[in-house]
Amino acid sequence: MELVAGCYEQQKWTPVADFTHHAHTASLSAVAVNSRFVVTGSKDETIHIYDMKKKIDHGALVHHNGTITCLKFYGNRHLISGAEDGLICVWDAKKWECLKSIKAHKGHVTFLSIHPSGKLALSVGTDKTLRTWNLVEGRSAFIKNIKQNAHIVEWSPRGEKYIVVILNKIDVYQLDTASVSGTITNEKRISSVTFLSESVLAVAGDEEVVRFFDCDSLMCLCEFKAHENRIKDMFSFEVPEHHVVITASSDGFIKMWKLKQDKKVPPSLLCEVKTNARLTCLGVWLDRVTDTQESLPSAAEPSPVSKEQSKINKKEAGDVVQEEKKQSIHNAKKCDLTGDSNKPTKGNTSVSTKKRKMVEMLEKKKRKKKKI
């Protein structure tokens, strides 16, 4: 499949093709962006890296054995990936080394989300669990059993709440209590959500409509027809004078919408582009000042999960929330998730014979040095 990047002229909002690359041998399943790089995951079990400043393919990471299901950057130093092999991997986004690899779920990892502070992460998988990761101490903090397999989990912008999506239902959790404060029900299965503010959530699914919900009142603020086919992914961002939502659909269209201050009023269409492709995922790279969040916090900083979650665990004895055995990691310096080994592993250490030979740029340089 192809990776297509574009830009817009701020006055006319005219989409212009800027970078196109034949990225993978199978369809794309995930995409993530930081201030310089775009990374894509695929059913071909690889992660590709693109330098958007130079507009070049920067190499590939081959560590997972299974479809890459989720990719998340935290700042410019760390990338976290999840896949159908049940692994969550933490990557150094400078050297592109796999710092840690942990067996996170008994089934597939379906989605993960990093807290705005960088101290916590949440993941869901096909083992019917919601798992909390303490990124400061580098260990699994809690496991919560849920009735069905969730396929999306997402922190709010300030990290005061998070949502868990199961089919067409969205459970809203409060961080201070770690309990469900309410449930939002969509008409059809949900494929994508994005927070527009701390309390307003945009929801899209297996239909042509996008809905805005208030996470406090649980009421639908507005809805509008965005596409002619189901919506696969959404993303929101802010530029001067504009708060924008981008939608990508199976109909091949990518559309940009200008949000109104009053979220009860449907947004207006800024522009659209027909890609002539069956879109599966969406990311937005903004050519602007470097991200202020450089890396995950060090172990010296306290994690917000420690006190609050421990109180919850004592109060709610009936809830199936239990602390997993501490996977202590005394020598974790750069990475914060517990791994299978204490030494960093290169991204291409788990290459199978069936996979296409894909070598990172770093590896190429090292080989050249050895020859010399």
Side-chain angles (χ1 to χ4, degrees), residues 7-279:
C7 61
Y8 62 86
E9 298 173 14
Q10 197 162 348
Q11 300 300 321
K12 297 180 180 179
W13 288 86
T14 305
V16 179
D18 190 46
F19 174 72
T20 304
H21 185 71
H22 189 77
H24 295 271
T25 58
S27 60
L28 270 67
S29 51
V31 61
V33 180
N34 70 4
S35 63
R36 178 158 188 168
F37 295 101
V38 170
V39 294
T40 57
S42 168
K43 290 185 177 181
D44 65 10
E45 306 181 357
T46 65
I47 300 169
H48 268 265
I49 312 160
Y50 310 91
D51 187 328
M52 296 307 294
K53 296 285 187 181
K54 296 180 179 180
K55 300 293 190 297
I56 59 171
D57 185 337
H58 192 68
L61 306 175
V62 185
H63 187 85
H64 288 285
N65 291 305
T67 298
I68 311 300
T69 55
C70 43
L71 294 166
K72 297 288 181 180
F73 274 110
Y74 185 79
N76 293 311
R77 194 57 195 260
H78 292 97
L79 170 70
I80 302 182
S81 62
E84 288 186 351
D85 56 8
L87 295 179
I88 285 179
C89 296
V90 181
W91 303 85
D92 183 326
K94 297 291 184 183
K95 298 179 180 178
W96 296 111
E97 293 177 343
C98 181
L99 298 173
K100 293 293 170 184
S101 178
I102 180 173
K103 183 65 176 177
H105 288 268
K106 293 178 181 178
H108 303 168
V109 178
T110 52
F111 212 90
L112 62 86
S113 182
I114 304 171
H115 190 270
S117 68
K119 299 173 184 178
L120 296 175
L122 295 169
S123 67
V124 289
T126 56
D127 55 1
K128 296 182 182 179
T129 62
L130 165 65
R131 301 189 181 229
T132 304
W133 302 98
N134 185 324
L135 300 183
V136 177
E137 297 179 11
R139 62 179 176 86
S140 172
F142 295 95
I143 304 172
K144 180 177 177 63
N145 293 327
I146 49 183
K147 294 180 180 179
Q148 293 176 280
N149 289 325
H151 60 282
I152 299 175
V153 61
E154 197 72 66
W155 288 101
S156 64
R158 292 202 300 265
E160 296 174 0
K161 61 172 69 74
Y162 55 93
I163 57 100
V164 176
V165 180
I166 301 173
L167 299 176
N168 68 325
K169 295 184 183 297
I170 303 170
D171 287 332
V172 182
Y173 288 77
Q174 300 300 321
L175 177 62
D176 57 353
T177 62
S179 60
V180 178
S181 61
T183 300
I184 295 169
T185 303
N186 195 49
E187 288 191 14
K188 293 191 177 181
R189 185 184 185 276
I190 296 163
S191 59
S192 180
V193 298
T194 185
F195 276 95
L196 305 179
S197 67
E198 187 65 20
S199 60
V200 179
L201 185 71
V203 179
D206 292 346
E207 54 186 332
E208 307 85 2
V209 175
V210 174
R211 295 183 178 87
F212 295 167
F213 287 94
D214 187 309
C215 291
D216 297 324
S217 68
L218 308 177
M219 299 296 292
C220 180
L221 301 176
C222 77
E223 66 175 65
F224 62 97
K225 184 178 179 180
H227 292 269
E228 296 300 322
N229 207 327
R230 62 181 180 176
I231 298 164
K232 294 295 291 182
D233 208 353
M234 284 191 303
F235 193 88
S236 69
F237 67 94
E238 292 185 57
V239 291
E241 300 181 5
H242 289 86
H243 189 178
V244 179
V245 166
I246 302 183
T247 55
S249 168
S250 295
D251 61 13
F253 277 91
I254 296 174
K255 297 186 180 183
M256 302 179 74
W257 307 85
K258 181 182 178 181
L259 294 172
K260 310 297 183 183
Q261 283 191 340
D262 184 358
K263 298 305 183 290
K264 292 181 180 179
V265 179
S268 56
L269 183 65
L270 285 168
C271 65
E272 62 180 33
V273 59
K274 187 174 183 180
T275 64
N276 294 316
R278 186 178 177 183
L279 302 174

